[in-house]
């Protein structure tokens, strides 16, 4: 089974700074022979507050004939408590109404694919617990299938036992719950986005992949992270084993967010810069 993972497209009808990367990416997907596309979030520039950003983005996603599954990013449904746009019932309802479920499971061949809403993790509320209980049930009922997980935020940035990275990764308590579930089940792959860096590594027997963003990379406005700056997509081949190919898709432009951040994210930019240094 061939899965194309795309992430961080940041599309918008009113802030079209990165929209030009969609056509070459969609053309490449159509020619790839993929069985499925998984989008790991930040579909839109501001779907967290604007219906039109999500509807515009979904109209573009429907241009691709390959079946697609999508999980939300922080710019789609909001982020942590105290952030500029915290996740709330209104933002979750907008996503579920205009895009679909914010977490899901799909069985294909001998695999169970699971998409998670990583933006629920950190609230320690009913929504977070409901998803964890659902995830445990989906893992326990996999009936011998191997598992590939997909989420917007990565488990960690620099080290599996690191502390709270704030904006960047899953918080330590929720990360520990995920570690325990991964250790108890045959989770072969966890694909994520969010960081706008591309990296491949492992956590015990699980392959970890930060797929290339489709919209932009970061220059000096954020700290250096593991991996490389790259615009493109990831190809996951799931069979008896897992293999991943990172692809710099021809025709896509490596925009720097630094150049346009005050136009695209004027309210969030100062907070992003502050959190990156904490």
């Amino acid at each position: 089974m061939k899965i194309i993972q795309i992430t961080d497209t940041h599309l918008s009808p009113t802030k079209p700074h990165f929209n030009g990367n969609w056509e070459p990416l969609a053309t490449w997907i159509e020619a790839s022979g993929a069985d499925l596309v998984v989008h790991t979030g930040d579909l839109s520039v501001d779907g967290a507050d604007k219906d039109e950003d999500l509807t515009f983005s979904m109209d573009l996603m429907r241009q691709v004939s390959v079946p697609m599954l999508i999980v939300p990013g922080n710019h789609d449904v909001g982020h942590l408590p105290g952030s500029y746009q915290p996740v709330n019932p209104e933002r979750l309802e907008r996503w579920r109404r205009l895009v679909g479920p914010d977490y899901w499971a799909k069985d294909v061949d001998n695999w169970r694919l699971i998409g998670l809403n990583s933006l629920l993790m950190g609230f320690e509320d009913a929504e977070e617990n409901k998803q964890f209980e659902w995830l445990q049930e989906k893992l326990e009922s996999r009936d011998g299938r191997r598992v590939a997980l997909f989420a917007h935020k990565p488990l960690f940035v620099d080290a599996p036992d690191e502390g709270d990275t704030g904006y960047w990764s899953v918080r330590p308590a929720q990360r520990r719950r995920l570690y325990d579930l991964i250790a108890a089940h045959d989770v072969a792959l966890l694909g994520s986005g969010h960081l706008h860096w591309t990296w491949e590594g492992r956590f015990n027997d699980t392959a970890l992949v930060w797929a290339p963003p489709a919209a932009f990379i970061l220059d000096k406005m954020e700290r250096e992270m593991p991996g490389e700056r790259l615009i493109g997509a990831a190809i996951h081949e799931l069979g008896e084993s897992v293999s991943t190919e990172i692809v710099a898709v021809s025709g896509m432009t490596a925009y720097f967010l630094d150049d346009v951040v005050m136009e695209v994210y004027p309210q969030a930019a100062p907070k992003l810069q502050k959190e990156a240094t904490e």
Side-chain angles (χ1 to χ4, degrees):
M1 173 173 49
K2 178 187 286 190
I3 295 177
I4 300 292
Q5 183 190 347
I6 62 175
T7 195
D8 296 271
T9 46
H10 292 264
L11 300 164
S12 171
T14 58
K15 295 182 178 181
H17 298 68
F18 316 118
N19 292 355
N21 274 346
W22 175 247
E23 183 177 355
L25 179 57
T27 299
W28 175 79
I29 292 170
E30 287 292 332
S32 69
D35 300 298
L36 182 70
V37 177
V38 176
H39 192 313
T40 48
D42 279 358
L43 174 66
S44 63
V45 166
D46 192 16
D49 278 340
K50 296 179 179 178
D51 283 27
E52 56 267 31
D53 270 32
L54 289 181
T55 55
F56 175 82
S57 299
M58 287 304 295
D59 285 345
L60 293 180
M61 296 304 108
R62 294 184 186 104
Q63 294 176 356
V64 175
S65 64
V66 182
M68 185 182 298
L69 297 170
I70 310 175
V71 295
N74 52 294
H75 292 291
D76 302 318
V77 296
H79 206 206
L80 293 167
S83 66
Y84 165 62
Q85 292 173 310
V87 177
N88 61 27
E90 178 184 357
R91 293 185 170 113
L92 289 174
E93 186 279 332
R94 178 181 291 111
W95 175 271
R96 292 165 181 170
R97 172 170 46 89
L98 297 175
V99 179
D102 52 316
Y103 51 93
W104 42 260
K106 182 178 180 64
D107 293 339
V108 183
D109 298 333
N110 194 39
W111 285 82
R112 175 158 289 181
L113 312 178
I114 297 176
L116 297 175
N117 182 353
S118 56
L119 287 314
L120 297 178
M121 299 176 186
F123 283 80
E124 299 183 352
D125 61 2
E127 283 280 3
E128 177 184 303
N129 287 327
K130 181 180 176 182
Q131 180 177 226
F132 268 115
E133 290 170 1
W134 173 89
L135 174 59
Q136 182 171 344
E137 189 279 325
K138 291 301 177 184
L139 291 171
E140 290 176 348
S141 67
R142 61 192 172 86
D143 194 25
R145 297 178 181 90
R146 305 199 74 194
V147 177
L149 296 177
F150 295 94
H152 184 60
K153 297 179 76 171
L155 289 171
F156 58 84
V157 178
D158 296 301
D161 59 351
E162 69 191 7
D164 192 342
T165 63
Y167 181 82
W168 297 116
S169 65
V170 176
R171 282 182 162 175
Q174 290 74 20
R175 186 192 308 150
R176 183 73 264 164
R177 291 185 73 174
L178 288 172
Y179 284 167
D180 291 344
L181 288 169
I182 288 170
H185 301 279
D186 191 11
V187 178
L189 169 68
L190 196 161
S192 60
H194 184 55
L195 300 183
H196 293 261
W197 287 77
T198 303
W199 175 81
E200 294 181 72
R202 298 196 70 81
F203 172 71
N204 295 334
D205 295 326
T206 303
L208 306 180
V209 177
W210 304 348
F216 58 79
I217 51 179
L218 306 170
D219 189 16
K220 304 298 184 185
M221 67 173 285
E222 308 292 5
R223 73 174 181 90
E224 293 281 319
M225 295 192 187
E228 61 181 323
R229 296 178 175 94
L230 180 70
I231 294 291
I235 302 174
H236 304 298
E237 295 277 1
L238 306 185
E240 292 300 317
S241 60
V242 176
S243 64
T244 296
E245 178 185 1
I246 301 298
V247 179
V249 176
S250 177
M252 298 181 73
T253 300
Y255 299 104
F256 282 104
L257 180 61
D258 308 49
D259 298 335
V260 295
V261 65
M262 294 309 297
E263 298 171 26
V264 182
Y265 292 118
Q267 293 146 307
K271 188 167 183 62
L272 286 170
Q273 292 165 325
K274 178 177 180 293
E275 287 174 332
T277 61
E278 290 179 344

